[in-house]
Amino acid sequence: MSTPEERLAEMGLAVPEVAKPVAAYVPAVRSGDHVFTSGQLPMRAGELMVTGKVGGEVTAEEAYACAQQCVLNAIAAVKSEIGDLSRVVRVVKVVAFIASTPDFTGQPGVANGASELLGEVFGDAGVHARSAVGVPVLPLDAPVEVELLVEVR
């Protein structure tokens, strides 16, 4: 059976460097058998992929890709705490915040960018509970922010 990193590589992806916090917090904290990530923005090489509101300046498709990047950044934060992603027992909960226009109601579809990637990377262990929440604004005018709760061994 392949490892999470090998599955990412098969998709042409890799675990990025841990994104630097934009304020006074750490990317992830381990407590017992769980790792809690801070909200992760769609940062690539230190820059936001796009800015603005989903349903306005940002399309649902762009936001879906942002959610994927957010979850890659969250995976990096988890790996920094446990060293080996094969130690992930279960992705327990995903919370996706989507900065959107008042008339945009596709938050669940945007959050699927995170959820579907977790399923591909972790298989059955990637199936999780989730909240997809529309908000008026996120830090740095990011369109998406994702946090994870992961059980580890």
Side-chain angles (χ1 to χ4, degrees):
M1 185 167 197
S2 58
T3 68
E5 285 96 338
E6 289 168 342
R7 288 190 284 281
L8 280 168
E10 290 167 9
M11 292 182 271
L13 300 171
V15 178
E17 293 293 317
V18 177
K20 293 186 185 340
V22 298
Y25 61 88
V26 294
V29 172
R30 182 171 180 173
S31 179
D33 292 336
H34 293 91
V35 176
F36 298 77
T37 73
S38 295
Q40 299 293 314
L41 300 176
M43 303 291 263
R44 271 193 193 150
E47 303 279 328
L48 283 173
M49 292 170 59
V50 294
T51 59
K53 307 293 177 276
V54 184
E57 309 88 351
V58 179
T59 67
E61 293 77 18
E62 288 171 317
Y64 179 97
C66 285
Q68 289 180 316
Q69 186 64 46
C70 290
V71 91
L72 282 172
N73 293 341
I75 287 170
V78 169
K79 184 176 180 181
S80 74
E81 288 295 311
I82 64 172
D84 179 359
L85 291 175
S86 296
R87 295 179 60 202
V88 171
V89 173
R90 176 103 199 230
V91 177
V92 178
K93 175 86 180 207
V94 173
V95 181
F97 301 96
I98 297 91
S100 50
T101 60
D103 60 334
F104 182 79
T105 59
Q107 289 84 1
V110 170
N112 281 347
S115 294
E116 291 170 0
L117 184 56
L118 287 166
E120 291 178 42
V121 172
F122 294 106
D124 289 342
V127 177
H128 52 269
R130 183 182 86 187
S131 298
V133 183
V135 298
V137 67
L138 288 167
L140 308 178
D141 199 26
V144 181
E145 181 174 343
V146 175
E147 64 182 51
L148 299 181
L149 169 56
V150 178
E151 182 183 358
V152 299
R153 65 171 158 298

